[in-house]
């Protein structure tokens, strides 16, 4: 409120104080005792309103309950003097000033936010706390009006609940219908801010003139305009009288049918709760509407008050709403604060405001205005009070709002309504009462947001889409690029206004899948001499030249900041196209399949297998014995020959057969892969290019071609840092071919062309002299561009997915872009080279087999050595015996294995036996029976 409003308020004092004169500078003490017998509180209500009727009875009941409870005010009687404002701001101001004549220390109300805006100025000046249980205007701030205390929830939280509901159901735009006063305008402003936090918005605002006398014709004019809007989600923030008229007219106009979504703020739930008998016409007009109600805690005391309500109303037909409960709790809140005020020694006294003086000769007697001396102390006690009332915990947060705001979400059905969920500032939307969630950590994740199913207008059980194409005859202006090259994607039929191409067919097929009609017209963009700039084309959406852009529009980061794209209908990415040349079959062509790494690995493992075979076969196989030179040659020959043809040396041991089996399996796979790769290289892959990809192209000095109008120029210069002097713009496939054939050494020639894969794929289908080199170095796709937050982009994305699933998208692709056979030839020389990583598993398996064979062999040979030389193993603790044992073990390894190693050698104490069998030598012969001694060594 502007500061000049104070002057307006002061002028009204003439009405109240024209007959009352208090001497200038006199201080009036009303009571000298700390606890007077009576305490006066004022209440400003609109007795004939939905909220006022209920609040009046609730305030009277609370006053009686407080006075009957001696533990609250301890003998002091609380008197509430109520005045009827008749929803008039002027009358409300007068009544507020009249309360000052009766030594009122607090004011309950007003229930109107408009009146509260003005009276708060009076409360601040006279330091009288004002507690409103129904003024929900979010701009009524305790910072601007320190003596204004809101004992109900601010509309800021109610609009947060509405915004989260809109986001939960996936809608992005709403229409707001509101009463055009401070309450309506400020509430809708709060809604707009909360929607913006979730990337939603109000697409249209319709204000209803404030005050009485609004006609159905005026409401009808407003709703007709609303019906022409795209959004079908309508939020009504009004008072009960104007709100019911909106729904009645909407029902008459057919706007309460299938496809519409109506969300009413808590005025509707207050009306439904306070009216036990609803006229059938009123209920028919609000079927399927979602509305909110301030949440109140379910307690035994609450239920008891509801049971008592019918007796309080004398059998009247109106019920108890949430505002009545807050009015009841407000009285108890003031009573506890007054009791604390008296307990601190506070007294009720008033004094004149020395700042207010009449103009000389004036007759308004402004000096009669009195200030409550204990107002600041009472205000502090109110703000610090913490009680449990009918609504729940009455406690104020540091910003002056009530503790733990929450709302019920109600769906109007039949002659009543159904609770479908809750909203709380703690955990958002939930089907669990907020009290059960307060003890848990806040969880506002999307997966945790839940509401029960609702019945929508028209008795629909499926969630409405919330958006339709506007029915006002306006065609969608769609910009399409006027291409010069690659006209298969999009082009204008010469001599006509028709547009054709792959992209156009995809868009048309997707639009045909929409459940509603979309009138549109294509508007070509470009001069027809060269491809237009696609960045400029997309920017025309933001300048309101086009509503959308359809064509081969690449989805890139800088464009997504200003427009919304549909689901990509074709994948893309930048690739490098270069000329290819024949690879001459030189003297070392046979080495092409192998990389140096796999050559080294294969050679190393072949030598390793020879060493392992020699070790395990040396003692048993005569082919691996003999002079050292012969053994080395035999081992090397075995290693190399096993790679080329089956080995000619037989293995005697089981470990040797195991090792050679594993190695032959590995060698077989390596040989087969080598033969296949060499065959492919010498037949199909006879061509190559000195350019290997984008990195070699960037480091080189040759010129690079790019398509005019595409984003590749920006990517090459800004992302890769390539100088613009190296770039050559090209406009068609013919220009690509000519520039690539000339090469970088001639004027107009390029070393390579960088373009998106769909264009290159189409180009290679008719120009087989060129190939893609390297891999795609960007990942993107093509989509249709629309305005930000356009629901049509979402619906077309769903349609494109359906085209992909049912195969229509592939059929459109085959119609326009089916590739010839030469474009399918892989041109990468590196593609068929054999790399070490391709055989890593084989070599690891082979190495483990070698290691296992060596471990088993070592264990066996040590066991045999111990059995053959038991006396050596017993003397290992002696110093000199260790070296002798080592020499003995090496000699044992070099010794040819015979039968004696299968039986342990007798100890010296046992050799004295005279038994013939015990006199056998190590070869099983008895020296008594033969004269020949056979040496165990070769």
């Amino acid at each position: 409120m502007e500061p000049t409003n104070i002057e307006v308020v002061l002028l009204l004092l003439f009405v109240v104080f024209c007959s009352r004169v208090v001497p200038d500078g006199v201080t009036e003490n009303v009571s000298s005792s700390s606890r007077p017998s009576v305490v006066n509180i004022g209440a400003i209500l609109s007795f004939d309103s939905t909220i006022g009727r209920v609040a009046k009875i609730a305030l009277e009941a609370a006053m009686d309950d407080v006075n009957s409870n001696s533990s609250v005010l301890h003998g002091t009687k609380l008197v509430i003097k109520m005045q009827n404002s008749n929803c008039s701001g002027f009358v409300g101001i007068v009544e507020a000033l009249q309360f000052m004549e009766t030594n009122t220390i607090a004011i309950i109300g007003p229930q109107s936010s408009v009146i509260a805006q003005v009276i708060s100025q009076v409360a601040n000046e006279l330091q009288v706390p004002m507690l409103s249980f129904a003024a929900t205007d979010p701009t009524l701030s305790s910072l601007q009006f320190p003596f204004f205390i809101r004992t109900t929830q601010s509309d800021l939280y109610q609009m947060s609940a509405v915004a989260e509901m809109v986001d939960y159901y996936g809608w992005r735009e709403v229409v707001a219908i509101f009463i055009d006063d401070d309450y309506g305008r400020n509430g809708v402003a709060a809604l707009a801010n909360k929607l913006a936090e979730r990337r939603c918005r109000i697409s249209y605002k319709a204000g209803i003139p404030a005050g009485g006398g609004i006609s159905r014709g005026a409401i009808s004019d407003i709703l007709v305009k609303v019906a022409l809007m795209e959004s079908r989600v309508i939020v009504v923030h009004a008072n009960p009288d104007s709100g019911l008229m909106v729904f009645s007219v909407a029902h008459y106009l057919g706007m309460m049918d299938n496809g519409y979504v109506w969300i009413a703020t808590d005025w509707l739930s207050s009306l439904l709760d306070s009216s036990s008998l609803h006229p059938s016409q009123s209920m028919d007009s609000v079927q399927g509407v979602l509305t909110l109600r301030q949440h109140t805690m379910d307690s035994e005391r609450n239920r008891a008050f509801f049971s008592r309500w019918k007796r309080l109303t004398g059998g009247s037909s109106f019920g108890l709403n949430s505002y009545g409960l807050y009015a009841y709790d407000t009285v108890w809140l003031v009573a506890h604060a007054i009791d604390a005020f008296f307990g601190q020694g506070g007294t009720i006294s008033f004094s004149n405001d020395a700042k207010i003086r009449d103009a000389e000769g004036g007759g308004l007697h402004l000096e009669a205005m009195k200030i409550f001396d204990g107002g600041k102390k009472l205000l502090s006690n109110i703000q610090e009070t913490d009680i449990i009332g009918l609504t729940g915990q009455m406690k104020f947060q540091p910003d002056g709002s009530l503790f733990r705001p929450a709302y019920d979400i109600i769906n109007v059905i039949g002659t009543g309504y159904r609770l479908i969920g809750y909203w709380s500032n703690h955990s958002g939307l939930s089907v669990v009462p907020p009290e059960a969630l307060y003890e848990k950590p806040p969880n506002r994740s999307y997966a945790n947001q839940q509401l029960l199913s609702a019945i929508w207008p028209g008795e629909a059980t499926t969630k409405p889409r919330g958006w339709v194409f506007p029915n006002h005859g306006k065609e969608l202006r769609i910009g399409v690029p006027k291409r010069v090259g690659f006209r298969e994607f999009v082009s204008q039929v010469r001599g006509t206004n028709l547009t054709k191409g792959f992209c156009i067919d995809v868009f048309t097929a997707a639009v045909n899948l929409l459940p509603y009609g979309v009138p549109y017209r294509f508007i070509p963009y470009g001069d027809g001499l060269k491809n237009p700039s696609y960045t400029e084309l997309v920017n025309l959406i933001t300048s309101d030249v086009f509503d959308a852009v359809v064509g081969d529009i690449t989805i890139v980061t800088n464009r997504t900041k200003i427009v919304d794209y549909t689901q990509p209908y074709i994948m893309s990415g930048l690739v490098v196209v270069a000329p290819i040349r024949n690879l001459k079959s030189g003297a070392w062509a046979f080495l092409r399949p192998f990389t140096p790494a796999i050559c080294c690995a294969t050679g190393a493992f072949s030598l390793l297998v020879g060493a392992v075979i020699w070790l395990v076969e040396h003692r048993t196989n005569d082919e691996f014995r003999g002079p050292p030179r012969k053994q080395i040659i035999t081992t090397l020959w075995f290693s190399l020959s096993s790679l080329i043809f089956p080995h000619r040396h037989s293995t005697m041991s089981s470990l040797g057969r195991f090792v050679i089996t594993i190695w032959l399996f590995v060698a077989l796979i390596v040989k087969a892969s080598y033969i296949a790769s060499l065959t492919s290289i010498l037949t199909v892959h006879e061509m190559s290019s000195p350019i290997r990809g984008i990195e070699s192209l960037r480091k080189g000095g040759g010129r690079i071609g790019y398509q005019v109008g595409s984003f590749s120029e920006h990517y090459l210069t800004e992302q890769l840092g390539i100088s613009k002097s190296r770039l050559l713009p090209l406009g068609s496939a013919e220009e690509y071919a000519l520039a690539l054939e000339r090469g970088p050494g001639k004027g107009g020639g390029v070393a390579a062309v960088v373009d998106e894969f769909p264009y290159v794929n189409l180009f290679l289908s008719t120009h087989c002299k060129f190939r893609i080199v390297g891999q795609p170095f960007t990942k993107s796709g093509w989509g249709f561009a629309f305005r930000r937050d356009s629901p049509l982009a979402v619906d077309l994305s769903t349609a494109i997915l359906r085209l992909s699933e049912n195969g229509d998208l592939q059929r459109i692709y085959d119609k326009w872009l089916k590739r010839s056979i030469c474009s399918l030839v892989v041109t990468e020389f590196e593609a068929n080279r054999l790399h070490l990583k391709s055989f890593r598993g084989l070599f690891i398996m082979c190495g483990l087999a070698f290691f296992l064979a060596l471990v088993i062999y070592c264990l066996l040979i040590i066991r045999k050595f111990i059995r053959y030389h038991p006396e050596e193993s017993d003397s290992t603790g002696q110093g000199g015996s260790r070296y002798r044992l080592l020499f003995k073990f090496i000699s044992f390894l070099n010794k040819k294995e015979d039968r004696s190693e299968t039986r342990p050698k007798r100890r010296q104490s046992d050799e004295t036996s005279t038994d013939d069998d015990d006199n056998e030598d190590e070869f099983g012969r008895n020296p008594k029976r033969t004269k020949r001694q056979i040496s165990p060594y070769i």
Side-chain angles (χ1 to χ4, degrees):
M1 186 68 65
E2 298 292 336
T4 55
N5 287 332
I6 297 179
E7 299 175 3
V8 177
V9 173
L10 296 180
L11 291 177
L12 297 174
L13 294 174
F14 178 80
V15 179
V16 183
F17 298 108
C18 60
S19 62
R20 176 185 176 91
V21 179
V22 179
D24 193 19
V26 176
T27 301
E28 181 179 352
N29 279 326
V30 177
S31 176
S32 58
S33 62
S34 59
R35 284 190 179 269
S37 58
V38 176
V39 175
N40 294 324
I41 294 178
I44 302 176
L45 307 174
S46 297
F47 293 165
D48 295 332
S49 67
T50 301
I51 296 176
R53 286 196 303 268
V54 176
K56 182 176 182 297
I57 299 175
L59 291 176
E60 293 172 346
M63 180 180 66
D64 295 339
D65 292 345
V66 169
N67 290 330
S68 62
N69 190 336
S70 60
S71 64
V72 181
L73 288 176
H74 300 89
T76 298
K77 183 180 180 181
L78 181 68
V79 176
I80 301 177
K81 298 182 178 181
M82 304 183 191
Q83 297 288 348
N84 186 9
S85 66
N86 290 319
C87 297
S88 170
F90 178 82
V91 176
I93 295 170
V94 173
E95 290 169 350
L97 295 175
Q98 287 177 341
F99 282 137
M100 303 304 131
E101 291 184 326
T102 58
N103 305 321
T104 301
I105 65 173
I107 298 175
I108 296 178
Q111 67 187 59
S112 169
S113 297
V114 178
I115 300 176
Q117 288 275 5
V118 180
I119 298 181
S120 295
Q121 302 282 0
V122 180
N124 286 348
E125 185 65 27
L126 303 182
Q127 299 184 8
V128 177
M130 185 174 68
L131 299 89
S132 178
F133 58 89
T136 59
D137 183 354
T139 63
L140 286 168
S141 168
S142 59
L143 295 177
Q144 183 180 4
F145 307 114
F147 282 83
F148 173 80
I149 303 169
R150 196 196 319 268
T151 58
T152 187
Q153 302 296 346
S154 167
D155 276 342
L156 181 67
Y157 299 109
Q158 181 171 207
M159 297 310 173
S160 295
V162 173
E164 291 197 31
M165 289 168 58
V166 171
D167 184 49
Y168 170 79
Y169 287 114
W171 303 314
R172 286 293 170 263
E173 292 185 359
V174 303
V175 172
I177 300 177
F178 60 97
I179 190 74
D180 196 6
D181 57 13
D182 291 340
Y183 159 75
R185 287 190 298 268
N186 296 332
V188 170
L191 174 62
N193 293 335
K194 293 301 180 180
L195 287 172
E197 293 176 2
R198 292 160 180 82
R199 289 198 63 185
C200 305
R201 69 186 184 96
I202 299 177
S203 60
Y204 182 73
K205 298 178 182 178
I208 302 173
I214 183 71
S215 65
R216 289 180 61 90
I219 296 293
S220 179
D221 293 339
I222 293 174
L223 292 181
V224 168
K225 295 179 181 179
V226 170
L228 297 177
M229 297 297 109
E230 299 178 358
S231 177
R232 285 293 183 264
V233 181
I234 305 171
V235 178
V236 181
H237 184 54
N239 54 46
D241 293 336
S242 60
L244 276 182
M245 186 178 294
V246 167
F247 283 116
S248 176
V249 176
H251 184 263
Y252 173 77
L253 295 177
M255 297 177 64
M256 299 300 298
D257 293 335
N258 196 353
Y260 281 89
V261 176
W262 291 85
I263 301 176
T265 51
D266 61 356
W267 65 265
L268 179 57
S269 63
S270 299
L271 181 65
L272 297 177
D273 287 336
S274 60
S275 300
S276 57
L277 296 177
H278 310 299
S280 59
Q281 184 178 1
S282 298
M283 291 304 298
D284 289 342
S285 63
V286 294
Q287 292 298 302
V289 176
L290 298 183
T291 183
L292 288 89
R293 178 176 59 194
Q294 298 185 70
H295 177 73
T296 56
M297 182 177 62
D298 183 21
S299 63
E300 183 177 348
R301 184 182 174 191
N302 187 302
R303 292 191 293 269
F305 190 78
F306 269 93
S307 300
R308 176 187 171 194
W309 181 254
K310 192 168 185 178
R311 179 171 54 84
L312 292 173
T313 59
S316 177
S317 60
F318 60 91
L320 176 63
N321 56 38
S322 60
Y323 285 104
L325 296 175
Y326 277 106
Y328 181 91
D329 286 347
T330 301
V331 176
W332 280 89
L333 180 72
V334 174
H336 280 282
I338 293 174
D339 181 64
F341 172 77
F342 289 147
Q344 296 168 0
T347 59
I348 299 177
S349 63
F350 296 83
S351 61
N352 291 340
D353 189 349
K355 296 181 294 181
I356 301 178
R357 292 290 184 271
D358 254 348
E360 186 175 352
L364 293 180
H365 305 295
L366 300 179
E367 68 278 2
M369 296 190 68
K370 295 179 294 184
I371 298 175
F372 177 32
D373 297 329
K376 292 184 178 179
K377 181 179 290 186
L378 179 59
L379 175 66
S380 177
N381 286 327
I382 292 174
Q383 293 172 339
E384 294 174 359
T385 301
D386 184 1
I387 64 172
I388 301 297
L390 297 180
T391 59
Q393 187 174 10
M394 295 288 288
K395 175 183 177 182
F396 295 99
Q397 301 184 82
D399 63 352
S401 61
L402 278 182
F403 188 57
R404 291 176 174 173
Y407 286 86
D408 300 338
I409 301 174
I410 296 171
N411 183 203
V412 181
I413 304 173
T415 59
Y417 50 80
R418 172 172 171 257
L419 183 67
I420 64 170
Y422 306 90
W423 176 91
S424 70
N425 199 39
H426 181 76
S427 296
L429 302 175
S430 172
V431 295
V432 180
E435 292 82 12
L437 301 175
Y438 288 146
E439 304 302 325
K440 301 177 182 179
N443 185 356
R444 302 184 72 90
S445 64
Y446 182 80
N448 195 57
Q449 306 301 296
Q450 293 181 345
L451 289 176
L452 298 178
S453 59
I455 303 297
W456 305 97
E459 299 183 358
T461 56
T462 304
K463 182 201 74 173
R465 185 173 57 251
W467 180 90
V468 295
F469 197 82
N471 188 25
H472 47 53
K474 180 182 177 182
E475 290 182 324
L476 201 66
R477 300 165 299 172
I478 300 179
V480 292
K482 200 172 182 179
R483 294 192 58 87
V484 176
F486 299 105
R487 294 170 59 86
E488 291 84 354
F489 294 100
V490 57
S491 63
Q492 187 176 12
V493 180
R494 289 181 174 87
T496 68
N497 294 326
L498 300 178
T499 307
K500 65 177 183 177
F502 167 72
C503 304
I504 302 300
D505 281 4
V506 172
F507 176 78
T508 303
V511 169
N512 290 336
L513 291 178
L514 296 179
Y516 49 86
V518 180
Y520 61 89
R521 61 188 175 96
F522 293 125
I523 304 175
Y525 175 76
D527 56 10
L529 302 177
K530 63 178 181 180
N531 296 332
S533 171
Y534 281 38
T535 300
E536 295 177 1
L537 178 59
V538 171
N539 287 335
L540 291 178
I541 297 178
T542 61
S543 58
D544 199 31
V545 175
F546 297 128
D547 299 312
V549 171
V550 170
D552 45 339
I553 312 298
T554 306
I555 303 174
V556 292
T557 303
N558 60 339
R559 296 175 186 170
T560 57
K561 297 177 181 178
I562 59 175
V563 297
D564 279 351
Y565 280 95
T566 62
Q567 168 80 16
Y569 59 88
I570 186 173
M571 301 311 296
S572 181
L574 290 178
V575 293
V576 178
V577 180
I580 55 175
R581 58 182 176 84
N582 289 330
L583 288 175
K584 297 181 179 179
S585 299
W588 305 100
F590 66 92
L591 293 178
R592 290 179 189 170
F594 276 165
T595 59
I598 196 171
C599 288
C600 295
T602 305
F605 270 84
S606 63
L607 294 176
L608 180 61
V609 73
V612 173
I613 292 297
W614 175 86
L615 183 62
V616 300
E617 293 286 324
H618 176 65
R619 301 186 73 248
T620 59
N621 195 336
D622 290 336
E623 295 184 10
F624 290 93
R625 301 190 61 80
R629 180 171 175 270
K630 176 187 175 184
Q631 295 184 45
I632 293 174
I633 293 175
T634 302
T635 302
L636 291 176
W637 171 249
F638 183 89
S639 300
L640 298 177
S641 64
S642 62
L643 282 172
I644 303 172
F645 47 80
H647 63 93
R648 299 183 179 180
H649 299 278
S650 59
T651 53
M652 305 294 293
S653 64
S654 299
L655 286 177
R657 295 189 184 99
F658 170 72
V659 170
I660 198 62
T661 300
I662 297 296
W663 172 244
L664 289 178
F665 174 72
V666 174
L668 176 64
I669 295 178
V670 172
K671 285 190 296 182
S673 301
Y674 171 82
I675 294 172
S677 178
L678 182 61
T679 303
S680 180
I681 290 175
L682 295 180
T683 55
V684 178
H685 299 288
E686 294 180 346
M687 300 180 179
S688 183
S689 171
I691 299 173
R692 299 301 183 195
I694 188 61
E695 283 301 319
S696 62
L697 183 62
R698 183 176 65 87
K699 294 177 181 178
R703 301 193 72 184
I704 304 172
Y706 70 93
Q707 185 177 174
V708 176
S710 70
F711 80 101
S712 55
E713 178 187 11
H714 179 270
Y715 187 88
L716 292 173
T717 55
E718 300 297 329
Q719 301 296 328
L720 299 182
I722 298 175
S723 174
K724 288 187 177 181
S725 61
R726 292 183 57 193
L727 302 182
L728 179 66
L730 303 171
S732 64
E734 291 72 19
E735 292 184 19
Y736 282 14
L738 183 60
L740 289 171
E741 287 174 353
R742 289 179 178 177
K746 298 180 181 180
V750 295
V753 171
V754 174
D755 204 351
E756 295 184 74
F757 182 75
Y759 303 118
V760 171
N761 202 27
L762 188 61
F763 168 71
L764 294 180
S765 65
T766 55
H767 298 80
C768 299
K769 298 179 181 179
F770 314 104
R771 294 290 183 269
I772 297 174
V773 294
Q775 298 296 324
F777 53 93
T778 64
K779 298 291 185 181
S780 60
W782 291 356
F784 306 131
F786 290 84
R787 297 178 185 273
R788 292 299 299 270
D789 302 319
S790 171
L792 189 57
V794 178
D795 289 351
L796 276 179
S797 295
T798 304
I800 290 172
L801 289 175
R802 290 179 59 188
L803 289 176
S804 178
E805 292 171 357
N806 61 25
D808 288 343
L809 189 60
Q810 182 62 42
R811 283 187 284 271
I812 298 173
Y813 181 88
D814 294 340
K815 171 186 174 182
W816 291 97
L817 307 174
K818 191 171 183 180
R819 298 170 292 177
S820 63
I821 192 65
C822 75
S823 64
L824 297 174
V825 179
V826 180
T827 63
E828 298 283 348
F829 169 67
E830 292 291 332
N832 284 323
R833 296 195 73 186
L834 301 178
H835 297 269
L836 179 60
K837 63 181 179 181
S838 303
F839 301 93
R840 186 183 304 168
L842 283 175
F843 285 125
I844 291 175
M845 179 186 69
C846 190
L848 291 176
F850 293 171
F851 177 76
L852 179 62
L854 289 175
V855 169
I856 296 175
Y857 178 77
C858 290
L859 294 176
L860 292 176
I861 200 67
I862 291 173
R863 178 174 176 273
K864 289 181 180 181
F865 177 75
I866 292 174
R867 296 182 63 187
Y868 186 69
H869 295 286
E871 71 285 352
E872 298 294 344
S873 60
D874 293 340
S875 61
T876 55
Q878 301 176 6
S881 299
R882 294 181 179 178
Y883 297 102
R884 185 176 60 192
L885 177 63
L886 179 61
F887 292 142
K888 281 270 190 181
F889 184 71
I890 294 174
S891 299
F892 184 76
L893 288 177
N894 193 41
K895 173 185 174 182
K896 182 176 176 61
E897 184 176 308
D898 51 39
R899 288 196 320 163
S900 64
E901 295 177 11
T902 61
R903 298 178 59 186
K905 189 175 181 179
R906 305 295 185 183
R907 297 181 182 272
Q908 192 173 11
S909 59
D910 298 332
E911 291 176 356
T912 58
S913 173
T914 57
D915 221 4
D916 289 345
D917 292 336
D918 293 338
N919 291 330
E920 290 183 352
D921 59 14
E922 58 184 350
F923 295 100
R925 296 184 178 87
N926 194 318
K928 295 181 180 181
R929 301 174 188 171
T930 179
K931 296 179 179 180
R932 185 182 178 186
Q933 185 71 27
I934 301 175
S935 174
Y937 300 100
I938 296 176

